[in-house]
Amino acid sequence: MSAEKHHDEEIDEIDHEEHFISQDDILEEVADDGDVPMDEDDEDGDELEESSGPVQNNSVQIFPEHRKSVFAVAGHPTQPLAVTGGEDDLGYIWDITDGEIIVKLTGHTDSVTSIAWSSDGEMVSTGGMDGKIRIWRRVGKENYRNWEFLTELQGPDEVMFIRWHPKGNVLLAGSNDSTVWLWQLPSGNTMQVFAGHSGPVNCGEFTPDGKRIITACADGILIFWDPRSPTPIFKLTPEDGRFDLDDITSLKVNPSSTLAVVGSAAGGVRVVSLNKGEVVATLDEHTAGESIEAVEFVDLPGAGAGAGVAITGATDGKAHIWDLSTMRLRATLEHSDAITKLLTHPAPKGYLVVSASADRTLRTWDARTGTLVREHTGHKAAVLDASLGLEGSVVISAGDDGFALVFTTEAVEEVSASLSNDIDEPPKAKPKATTPLRRSASASLPIRETRTPTRGDIQTVFTLATAKRYLLSRFRLHPNLPARTQTLNESLWIPKWGSPGKEGEVFIFSNGSFVCWGLGEADARRFAAEVIDLVPGIKVAPLADAETEELEFVIDPIENTRLQGDLIILGQMAPLSSAQTSFRNMPPMALPEETLLARYAYSQALSRSTALSALEVSLDEYLTSMAQLPHSLIETGKPGMGRVQLIKKLGELMKFRQGLNLNRENFSDVPDFYWAEPELERMNFYHPHLYRVSFEKTSGYFDSMTDALDVKERTASVNDKITYAAEAQSVLRQLLTESSTHSMELVIIALIAVEVIIAIIRDGPELWEMLVGKEDKRHEKDNLIHN
C-alpha cells in the first residue's frame, strides 16, 4: 500500500508543479493570427483544480499498476478477473477481488488501446498503436491463474478495435490504414483481409448471431460483410442520401441481428436495416457537432417490439434511450461532461445501464424510468472505458488518472469505511489471493454494502504463524500471563486482550500460530512480542519470516453464522449436540458467547492454513536450492556440489521431514472434537453467485474454511513435493555412497603406494644387491664360456 500511496503523492506533485520555459527553450516565434486554439491544458487545469481535494471513492478495489492513462478494460466472462491496457505499453490480467496481478502482458512498443477476452474466456487479446495484436491463453484447466503467450498477429497499421466472435475463436480487427482483418485462433492464420474503406476503420462488430460483420470508417462508409467473402453484402457512403454521415465513431447491432444503430462525430445517428441495406430512421436529439461515442441495446420487456431499445451516448453529456419500434425518445440520462462508454446488464436485470463519463464518474441507471440507481466515484480524471464483471454485479473502470477501479453496480448505501477510502489511501490487498476464498470474495459485497440496524462494523481476523510449533505447556512460565487465559479444546484461549476499548480475543494453537479476532496486524504482532516471545522455550523452530492470513468478520444476530465470500458472519447457530461443549461461568469476553465455538472452528482452520503456508515456504526453498541438481547430473554426470554440501543438503531434508512429521496432524483429517459436535461441522452454505443462503447444501464451519483456503489441495501438492524431495534424498544418498566408494578406492591405492615406497626404502639395498649380484654372476659365467 505504501508504494501505491507514494505513487499517488507523485501524481499530486506532478499535478501541482509549476513549469516555466527560458529563452533557450524558444525554438521559433510565430505571429499571432487571431485564431486562438482550444487550450487543452487550461481545461485539464480546471479539472485538476476542481479535483485537487480528496475525491470521494466508493470503489471496492483499486488497481494502480499502470501509472499512466488506462485506455481499455474488459471483465472476464465468468471469473473475477479483468484485463487492462494503457499508455505504459502494457496490459495486465488481475484479480478484481483483491487487485493481485495474475500476469503482466508485455511485448507492445506503443500504447495498448484495445483489450478483449474470447467468448469462452480461454484467450485474451491486446491491440496497440504499434499495430501489434498479441494473444495469450490459459494454461491447464485447474484455474485461471496461469497464462502463456500464444502468438502475435501481423497485418494492421495502428489497431483501432478488436472483437472476438460471439461463439468461436475468431478475431476481428480494424486498422488505421483502412483495412479490416480476420484471424482464426489459436493457429493465427489469416482468414480474410477486407478492403473497401478509405479511412481509419474506427468501429466494427460481429452480428450477435455470428453470421455477419459490420464495419465503419472515418470517411463515413458503412460496410456489411459475409466473413467468408471479401466482397461486401452492401455498402453505405455519405453520398447515399439519408445516410450522409461524415465520420462514423460508433455502431451497434440489435440482438436479433436485423438493425444497426450508427453514430457520427457530428452528432448524427442513423438506424440501418441489415436485411435491406438502407436507412430506416434518423435520430436527431444530440447536440449538433457533439460526437456519438457509444451505442448499446438494452433489454426492456414489452418495449421495442422486436426492433429493440437503443441507447446513444455523446460528448454533449447525454445518453438518449430510443424505442426503435416507434423511433421515439423514451428517456435521457445526463452527465456533466462527455459520455465515453455505455454498458447494459445481462438478464435478468437487463434494464440496468451503466454510463461512464469524462466528468470522472460512472452511473448506474434504471432504463425503464431513466432514474439514477447509483453514482460511482473515485477517479481523478476522465473515465476512458468500462466493463461489467461477475455477471453484472460489478463494473470495472479505466481512468485517465492511471487507475482502474471496481464498483458494485446497484448498492445505494455507502460502503463500509474499510472499502470507501480516499483514492490516496487504496485498500490494502489481502496477504494471500490464490484460494477459492479470494476468488469468491465478491460474494461478500451484499453484506458489506448493506447497513442494517442489527449489523455491526466489519472487523479483522488476523492469523500469524511465528514458529513450526508452540509448546503450549510452557505458557505457565510466562512472567505476566494475560488474565483469564484458559484451555479451549486444542487451543489456549484469551477471551479479552488489547488496548482498553479496543479488545479482541486470541486463540493460540500448538502448530506455531495464533488467531486474533477484532485485532489487526499491528495488534497481532504486538501480541507476539508481548506474549508469545516472553515465554521461555515456547517456540520450536522459529520462522525467519512470519506467515499471515487476513480475513474479516461482522456480527449480525439475525443472520445465520456462515462464511460468505471472504467475510465471516457471526450470528445464529443451531443448538449444540453435546453437553461437553456447553460452558458455565464463562469469563467476560470481547465477542458474543453464543458464537464462541464457531470462532474456534474457524480459527482452527485458519491456523492450519497458515501453518501449512510456512511448511510450503520451507519446502519450496529447499526444492529451489536443489533445482540445479537434475540439470547438473544431465550435463556433467556430477551433482555440481562437493561431499560436504551433499551432506548438508541431506541434513536439511531430514530436518524438513522431521518438522513435517511433527506437524502432520495439522493438515490431515477433521479434529476429533468435531465428531462429538457435528453442528460445528455443518453450517449453512452460501453460493457465491446467487447472493442468497441455500439450505440444500451444508458444509462445516471448520470444513468450509478449510475448503475455502484450499487446505486439502495444498496438502496434496505438498505431499507431491515431498515425494520429489524423497527422490532427491535417494539420489543424494546414492551420490554419497558413490563418492564414499570412490574415495575408499583412492585411499586403498594410496595405501598400497605408501606400502611399496616404505618397502623400497627399507629393503632397497638388499634388493639392489640381489638384482645386481645376479647380473654380475651371469656376466662372469658368459666370459668363462667364451674364454
Side-chain angles (χ1 to χ4, degrees), residues 9 22 37 66 82 114 188 195 276 295 335 404 432 478 550 560 563 582 584 589 614 634 640 652 657 668 716:
E9 292 172 351
S22 66
H66 281 285
S114 300
K276 299 178 180 180
V295 181
H335 280 267
K432 295 177 175 59
H478 194 286
E550 182 178 353
N560 291 312
L563 175 64
S582 299
R584 296 180 180 179
M589 59 185 76
I634 291 172
E652 287 179 27
R657 290 176 67 90
S668 55

Side-chain angles (χ1 to χ4, degrees), residues 446-598:
I447 296 294
R448 293 179 182 276
E449 297 182 351
T450 305
R451 289 282 188 175
T452 68
T454 60
R455 188 165 297 158
D457 293 331
I458 292 177
Q459 303 179 63
T460 299
V461 184
F462 198 87
T463 308
L464 196 68
T466 63
K468 292 185 177 179
R469 194 166 182 82
Y470 290 155
L471 301 178
L472 297 184
S473 60
R474 292 182 175 267
F475 254 91
R476 67 179 185 274
L477 302 177
H478 194 286
N480 188 20
L481 192 67
R484 299 179 293 277
T485 299
Q486 56 189 274
T487 300
L488 180 61
N489 297 312
E490 298 179 16
S491 75
L492 279 182
W493 174 49
I494 302 175
K496 210 169 187 179
W497 189 89
S499 305
K502 298 180 179 179
E503 294 97 340
E505 73 177 357
V506 183
F507 296 91
I508 308 172
F509 294 90
S510 61
N511 60 18
S513 66
F514 58 90
V515 183
C516 301
W517 290 76
L519 302 171
E521 180 176 1
D523 290 324
R525 293 189 182 277
R526 185 164 65 89
F527 179 85
E530 296 180 4
V531 178
I532 300 293
D533 293 347
L534 294 184
V535 181
I538 187 176
K539 292 183 180 180
V540 177
L543 301 179
D545 296 308
E547 287 295 320
T548 65
E549 181 71 61
E550 182 178 353
L551 291 182
E552 291 175 321
F553 74 96
V554 65
I555 298 173
D556 192 336
I558 68 171
E559 293 279 349
N560 291 312
T561 296
R562 64 188 186 274
L563 175 64
Q564 182 165 323
D566 62 348
L567 183 67
I568 299 170
I569 301 167
L570 298 177
Q572 300 178 8
M573 291 179 59
L576 300 178
S577 304
S578 172
Q580 296 177 2
T581 52
S582 299
F583 300 99
R584 296 180 180 179
N585 302 321
M586 296 297 289
M589 59 185 76
L591 298 174
E593 178 181 337
E594 294 77 13
T595 57
L596 171 60
L597 290 181

Side-chain angles (χ1 to χ4, degrees), residues 238-449:
E239 287 73 33
D240 292 320
R242 295 182 63 190
F243 190 65
D244 192 22
L245 295 176
D246 54 357
D247 183 357
I248 300 175
T249 53
S250 56
L251 64 84
K252 195 71 176 182
V253 179
N254 69 345
S256 60
S257 301
T258 58
L259 294 175
V261 177
V262 186
S264 75
V269 178
R270 304 290 185 265
V271 182
V272 177
S273 169
L274 300 182
N275 294 328
K276 299 178 180 180
E278 61 184 33
V279 176
V280 296
T282 298
L283 308 178
D284 287 331
E285 286 294 329
H286 286 287
T287 305
E290 297 289 350
S291 176
I292 309 298
E293 293 296 307
V295 181
E296 285 292 334
F297 279 85
V298 60
D299 182 16
L300 296 184
V309 176
I311 308 178
T312 56
T315 55
D316 59 5
K318 295 180 174 62
H320 294 311
I321 303 177
W322 305 91
D323 187 330
L324 297 188
S325 64
T326 62
M327 301 301 171
R328 291 183 178 178
L329 183 66
R330 287 177 56 97
T332 297
L333 319 176
E334 295 193 30
H335 280 267
S336 61
D337 207 337
I339 290 177
T340 56
K341 187 77 173 184
L342 293 171
L343 303 168
T344 54
H345 278 236
K349 295 185 177 181
Y351 55 84
L352 290 178
V353 176
V354 176
S355 57
S357 173
D359 65 6
R360 307 187 296 276
T361 70
L362 300 96
R363 293 175 180 174
T364 299
W365 309 84
D366 188 331
R368 297 171 297 185
T369 60
T371 56
L372 179 65
V373 176
R374 188 182 184 195
E375 183 174 60
H376 315 285
T377 60
H379 281 289
K380 288 186 174 183
V383 181
L384 303 180
D385 196 14
S387 177
L388 294 177
L390 296 179
E391 300 178 347
S393 61
V394 297
V395 58
I396 312 146
S397 61
D400 203 20
D401 54 6
F403 294 98
L405 305 182
V406 182
F407 304 90
T408 54
T409 51
E410 291 185 80
V412 294
E413 281 98 353
E414 290 297 324
V415 293
S416 65
S418 65
L419 295 176
S420 61
N421 298 324
D422 181 80
I423 200 167
D424 289 328
E425 292 288 346
K428 181 180 179 181
K430 302 297 183 186
K432 295 177 175 59
T434 59
T435 65
L437 182 146
R438 300 301 178 205
R439 297 193 288 272
S440 63
S442 59
S444 67
L445 295 179
I447 296 294
R448 293 179 182 276
E449 297 182 351

